[in-house]
């Protein structure tokens, strides 16, 4: 499944990232919608959910995220909705780990 989030805040370290495998961090912007896919490697066995997907988050609750590979690139977002498949462009699509 996929979860759409609205980016509420992000650290300035995201824009400074220039390593080839991590340049995607430069495209993060406050106010943008991002999609995060929950796939089997990240799912917990009993619930078949990904940790941090905001499943129990009520509307408007601020949730925290951190980029893999650069712990200084972090921020907050609010959950918009859960979908069967992601609908964001590739540059705004991510995977739970």
């Amino acid at each position: 499944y996929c979860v759409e989030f609205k980016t509420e805040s992000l650290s300035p370290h995201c824009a400074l990232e220039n390593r080839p495998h991590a340049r995607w961090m430069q495209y993060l912007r406050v106010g943008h919608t991002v999609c995060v896919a929950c796939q089997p490697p990240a799912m917990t066995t009993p619930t078949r959910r990904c940790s941090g997907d905001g499943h129990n988050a009520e509307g408007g609750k601020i949730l925290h995220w951190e980029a893999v590979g650069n712990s200084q690139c972090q921020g907050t977002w609010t959950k918009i909705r859960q979908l069967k498949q992601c609908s964001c462009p590739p540059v705004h699509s991510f995977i739970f780990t």
Side-chain angles (χ1 to χ4, degrees):
Y1 65 94
C2 181
V3 184
E4 286 184 356
F5 295 96
K6 178 183 173 196
T7 307
E8 300 292 340
S9 70
L10 62 134
S11 66
H13 296 280
C14 301
L16 302 175
E17 182 60 71
N18 60 9
R19 292 175 292 167
H21 69 280
R23 284 198 184 117
W24 60 268
M25 295 178 201
Q26 296 176 359
Y27 297 99
L28 294 169
R29 297 285 183 274
V30 171
H32 281 194
T33 297
V34 297
C35 294
V36 187
C38 178
Q39 298 176 354
M43 289 180 179
T44 59
T45 305
T47 64
R48 303 281 297 153
R49 302 200 68 84
C50 285
S51 175
D53 70 357
H55 176 62
N56 293 321
E58 297 301 321
K61 183 175 181 182
I62 301 291
L63 305 168
H64 295 272
W65 58 267
E66 180 180 300
V68 171
N70 181 351
S71 61
Q72 293 183 320
C73 178
Q74 54 187 285
T76 59
W77 55 21
T78 52
K79 182 179 177 180
I80 298 172
R81 62 185 173 160
Q82 181 176 317
L83 305 165
K84 286 191 178 191
Q85 294 190 342
C86 291
S87 60
C88 292
V91 75
H92 292 140
S93 295
F94 307 99
I95 300 174
F96 282 107
T97 59

